[in-house]
Amino acid sequence: MWLTRPLQERSTQIFLGVLFGALVIVSALHLFMPQDSALYVSSYTVTLLGKYLCYALLAVAVDLVWGYLGILSLGHGAFFALGGYAMGMYLMRQIGDRGVYGDPVLPDFMVFLNWQELPWYWAGFDMAWFAFIMVLLAPGILALVFGFLAFRSRVTGVYLSIITQALTFALMLAFFRNEMGFGGNNGLTDFKDILGFDLRTDATRLGLFLATGIALAIGYVICRGIVTSKLGRVSVACRDAEARTRFIGYRVERVQLFVFVVSAMLAGVAGALYVPQVGIINPSEFSPLFSIEVVVWVALGGRATLYGAVIGALLVNYAKTVFTGIMPDAWLFALGGLFVLVTVFLPKGIAGLMSRRSKKDDTDTPAAQEATA
Amino acid sequence: MSIFQELTNRDQVFEFLAPVQSPVDVRHGPILYMEDVSVSFDGFKAINNLNLTIDDGELRCIIGPNGAGKTTMMDIITGKTRPDTGSVWFGSRHNLLTMNEPDIATLGIGRKFQKPTVFEALTVFENLELAMATDKRIFPTLTATMKPEYRERIEEVLEMIGLKDLRNAPAGILSHGQKQWLEIGMLLMQKPRLLLVDEPVAGMTEQEMERTAELLTSLAGKQSVVVVEHDMGFVRSIARKVTVLHQGSVLAEGSMDQVSNDPEVVKVYLGEEA
Ligand SMILES: Nc1ncnc2c1ncn2[C@@H]1O[C@H](COP(=O)(O)OP(=O)(O)O)[C@@H](O)[C@H]1O
Ligand SMILES: [Mg+2]
């Protein structure tokens, strides 16, 4: 089975081992260490780590399309944000009559705008199952429509990157507007609870952190499953010699569309887990700059490795937290400098440093593993 | 009991599970039929009223000076370029002008490019695996596994193209000649009815050329092969029938001796080489 194949693979086993190990250690240090111990992990840190894991999942999604399909998406922030908004809408409806205006149905910002009733597209978001489906469907459908149009007309390379930027920029402008019904530039915030659990308690925060870790593990295995399947090899073929792939009978645009939609959905899940942990979703997540930053994480970590994307996302965001604490204005320069340094000295990213073992892994897999399958 | 057997013998109950028979209809003559085909790029007629017929099982060589339109002709047959006028039929049933590249490939036309293009990041084995004639839709490809008979077929082709020892090497490290062969191997994996081979021996050593000639002649009969080539010695060694293309249309057609004695041909092509 394509989904279980990665589980037999050394690199995936190591990745999952390290990830689950980290989840357990962080939880244990949070739960069992006395608060004054140097090893104690505060609830604040747990949530910060949860946020990093969301970014890591987003980076994995970007690496799937950029690394293996050759589509440099500079608009994945849009899928992340849409997943986030779907979750945000659910969390808004969960507030119920506990808002400032106490309206049992309408979120505060709608009361403030003198709206009389919920817009039709807010219907159903009071039900968790519906909202969670929309977390996948909203980015998935946007990717499907966008990808269908772009790939069918064979838009590739720089042009595609530019229209992905335009896409996320257009969405940002749209979501800034109050009439859109998504809270304008304030976005959605003041969440109270999720699935009945109070978002301000330590237990809920730890739970969200763990859920994010598990989502990252599942997302990684799905991507790895695609990448190690024959379809993954076809993706690489599309990336390197699109015309040739067509002439041996593959519908390149469908391969691109499938992988792109899967990637967008994973980005949506990352956004959905991000929102309850940071407590707000606003149009700045659509900012073109954010999408470019994600690509920088992947490039720094190492393209076309998946685990490199995770490493890149974690390291850069940790550096960002530290750096913005010391010199908030210099962060973008530091990121730019880091990017230049890595491109010049480590063209394969951080993962390139440790790739000797995994390279052997990669060339052996399809032939060696499928013999036993 | 017999009903049960019938049901378990599913390839007879469900027609789509039966081994695929080539749908190409050649009962009424040629496998490829091009009539009055013209195409122009920015007013320049690259193909000009081209008429060409390839019989089933034939090995045909196409020669002509640079810019004669040989590659463009292949682009038209494989669906990459749409002609302005004319018709192109594969057998008597399939109008190629209404089909796209993957469909034409799946129907049984394989193509080797002038510049060898293989998937350099993938291994030799994987290159052949991807080319193999199987269900190439998304989900069958996602769930595909390497069956023993697939492996056998790949090994067979590896043997034929002399790349057995390099099966796990990334195709990017192959020499130019080896890439040419890998590409021919990928063609064979597709099990096409018609092979279009654009300048197969460019960059090959004398010895490699001989083996390529052998390979191509051995294919003819079972498959139809159209070879575009510059190397006259090579053409002479494999050709039974030669078509000379000049300025987008057929200048002469016949055996190698016939065309090389044709004064027109000598003037435009052979003359300038001699
Ligand atoms: N896509 C294209 N756009 C413009 N001109 C083209 C295109 N493809 C081919 N040509 C022109 O058509 C002519 C025939 O080219 P080609 O078929 O490659 O010749 P050959 O393969 O016989 O050397 C050349 O003059 C070439 O410049
Ligand atoms: Mg040519």
Side-chain angles (χ1 to χ4, degrees):
Chain A
M1 235 281 269
W2 68 277
L3 252 183
T4 53
R5 183 164 31 211
L7 300 176
Q8 290 144 27
E9 190 189 39
R10 259 298 275 305
S11 67
T12 304
Q13 289 166 354
I14 295 174
F15 177 85
L16 293 179
V18 170
L19 176 61
F20 286 128
L23 294 183
V24 169
I25 291 171
V26 169
S27 309
L29 294 180
H30 173 66
L31 291 173
F32 303 121
M33 279 289 155
Q35 295 226 4
D36 48 10
S37 159
L39 287 174
Y40 173 70
V41 174
S42 70
S43 179
Y44 170 80
T45 310
V46 167
T47 296
L48 191 65
L49 292 174
K51 197 175 112 178
Y52 292 170
L53 291 180
C54 293
Y55 287 148
L57 180 55
L58 174 59
V60 166
V62 169
D63 194 23
L64 180 68
V65 288
W66 185 33
Y68 294 92
L69 197 59
I71 291 174
L72 174 54
S73 169
L74 296 177
H76 255 54
F79 305 125
F80 181 82
L82 281 182
Y85 268 98
M87 176 61 96
M89 287 159 82
Y90 162 71
L91 297 175
M92 286 310 264
R93 302 281 317 257
Q94 286 303 98
I95 297 173
D97 59 8
R98 289 170 293 173
V100 177
Y101 298 108
D103 190 293
V105 176
L106 292 187
D108 278 350
F109 74 89
M110 290 186 192
V111 181
F112 185 76
L113 291 172
N114 273 325
W115 290 15
Q116 298 309 312
E117 56 183 34
L118 219 50
W120 61 268
Y121 47 83
W122 274 76
F125 277 94
D126 51 331
M127 296 171 286
W129 65 265
F130 179 82
F132 294 171
I133 288 175
M134 292 316 281
V135 161
L136 292 170
L137 276 191
I141 289 172
L142 176 67
L144 190 74
V145 173
F146 176 85
F148 176 79
L149 295 172
F151 302 141
R152 195 191 49 164
S153 16
R154 299 194 184 168
V155 182
T156 47
V158 183
Y159 300 100
L160 188 68
S161 301
I162 292 172
I163 44 176
T164 55
Q165 277 267 286
L167 171 78
T168 194
F169 188 63
L171 282 168
M172 179 174 75
L173 296 184
F175 274 72
F176 262 128
R177 297 168 64 86
N178 281 328
E179 309 87 273
M180 277 286 282
F182 296 107
N185 60 359
N186 294 324
L188 311 175
T189 187
D190 289 334
F191 309 132
K192 300 281 189 276
D193 45 32
I194 181 167
L195 298 169
F197 297 103
D198 189 339
L199 278 168
R200 283 154 303 186
T201 62
D202 289 357
T204 310
R205 288 169 156 224
L206 185 66
L208 282 168
F209 163 74
L210 292 174
T212 312
I214 291 165
L216 175 60
I218 294 173
Y220 185 88
V221 169
I222 290 175
C223 290
R224 201 63 214 163
I226 292 175
V227 163
T228 54
S229 75
K230 188 173 172 189
L231 188 66
R233 274 162 260 149
V234 175
S235 304
V236 170
C238 297
R239 179 190 76 187
D240 293 344
E242 197 181 312
R244 189 92 200 86
T245 315
R246 256 189 212 109
F247 286 120
I248 56 176
Y250 294 97
R251 290 184 171 265
V252 170
E253 67 282 359
R254 292 195 189 166
V255 175
Q256 291 171 326
L257 194 58
F258 174 79
V259 178
F260 193 66
V261 168
V262 170
S263 168
M265 287 175 153
L266 289 175
V269 171
L273 288 159
Y274 176 84
V275 168
Q277 299 190 76
V278 298
I280 183 168
I281 173 82
N282 63 33
S284 68
E285 306 301 338
F286 284 111
S287 137
L289 206 59
F290 173 59
S291 293
I292 293 176
E293 252 188 273
V294 182
V295 169
V296 175
W297 306 341
V298 177
L300 289 177
R303 191 183 157 196
T305 58
L306 295 181
Y307 63 85
V310 174
I311 296 171
L314 298 182
L315 280 186
V316 175
N317 281 293
Y318 177 68
K320 184 177 184 174
T321 307
V322 173
F323 218 91
T324 44
I326 311 167
M327 286 186 285
D329 296 331
W331 166 245
L332 272 181
F333 295 100
L335 183 67
L338 203 61
F339 185 56
V340 172
L341 281 180
V342 171
T343 342
V344 173
F345 295 108
L346 289 174
K348 288 184 176 168
I350 297 161
L353 281 177
M354 32 198 211
S355 74
R356 203 164 291 151
R357 188 204 284 121
S358 71
K359 201 175 255 167
K360 234 161 112 206
D361 235 33
D362 272 356
T363 39
D364 286 352
T365 31
Q369 285 199 335
E370 297 210 340
T372 57
Chain B
M1 189 64 196
S2 72
I3 289 173
F4 178 71
Q5 263 175 2
E6 218 171 281
L7 276 173
T8 52
N9 206 351
R10 291 200 308 175
D11 58 350
Q12 278 155 33
V13 177
F14 300 114
E15 203 191 349
F16 65 86
L17 288 172
V20 199
Q21 297 295 321
S22 171
V24 182
D25 186 357
V26 290
R27 281 172 305 175
H28 307 289
I31 187 144
L32 183 75
Y33 182 75
M34 300 179 82
E35 191 183 24
D36 290 334
V37 176
S38 295
V39 64
S40 47
F41 299 114
D42 311 318
F44 169 74
K45 282 220 160 183
I47 296 287
N48 192 3
N49 271 324
L50 177 71
N51 289 284
L52 184 76
T53 310
I54 307 290
D55 286 327
D56 195 24
E58 187 182 349
L59 170 62
R60 173 77 63 92
C61 279
I62 303 206
I63 60 175
N66 254 325
K70 304 178 299 282
T71 301
T72 308
M73 182 195 81
M74 293 199 170
D75 287 345
I76 292 172
I77 299 170
T78 52
K80 190 179 177 207
T81 300
R82 293 275 180 238
D84 305 330
T85 57
S87 51
V88 183
W89 288 81
F90 189 44
S92 53
R93 194 179 300 158
H94 294 97
N95 179 358
L96 294 181
L97 299 185
T98 61
M99 300 169 68
N100 61 24
E101 294 114 305
D103 286 342
I104 292 174
T106 307
L107 191 59
I109 298 185
R111 174 174 189 186
K112 197 201 88 55
F113 285 79
Q114 183 164 352
K115 179 175 166 285
T117 31
V118 295
F119 305 123
E120 307 215 333
L122 301 176
T123 66
V124 169
F125 187 95
E126 290 166 343
N127 268 272
L128 295 176
E129 180 207 10
L130 292 197
M132 186 161 45
T134 49
D135 195 335
K136 287 178 173 156
R137 289 170 304 169
I138 299 291
F139 288 99
T141 309
L142 180 63
T143 56
T145 52
M146 179 54 64
K147 294 190 186 134
E149 65 260 35
Y150 295 164
R151 183 173 295 279
E152 247 167 62
R153 170 94 187 118
I154 295 175
E155 290 297 331
E156 213 176 279
V157 170
L158 276 172
E159 180 82 58
M160 254 192 260
I161 57 174
L163 294 176
K164 241 182 151 74
D165 297 334
L166 288 168
R167 65 160 74 72
N168 287 326
I173 68 158
L174 299 183
S175 74
H176 193 77
Q178 286 170 327
K179 279 183 193 166
Q180 297 270 40
W181 266 346
L182 176 54
E183 216 185 341
I184 294 173
M186 289 164 75
L187 269 187
L188 299 178
M189 293 301 302
Q190 284 176 262
K191 291 202 172 157
R193 292 292 304 271
L194 172 66
L195 285 84
L196 305 174
V197 193
D198 204 347
E199 307 204 9
V201 298
M204 281 191 182
T205 64
E206 202 65 38
Q207 203 188 355
E208 287 174 326
M209 255 195 224
E210 246 167 62
R211 288 203 46 194
T212 309
E214 244 170 65
L215 184 61
L216 290 178
T217 30
S218 75
L219 292 176
K222 284 167 278 173
Q223 283 136 329
S224 318
V225 185
V226 175
V227 184
V228 163
E229 193 41 75
H230 265 305
D231 190 291
M232 279 308 169
F234 180 76
V235 172
R236 201 174 283 279
S237 72
I238 60 168
R240 289 151 213 181
K241 192 169 173 188
V242 178
T243 299
V244 184
L245 223 60
H246 179 54
Q247 293 179 351
S249 46
V250 174
L251 184 70
E253 208 164 73
S255 73
M256 189 65 191
D257 287 332
Q258 272 172 319
V259 299
S260 55
N261 289 323
D262 187 313
E264 283 283 296
V265 175
V266 173
K267 204 171 87 198
V268 307
Y269 185 53
L270 297 173
E272 71 185 33
E273 292 226 326

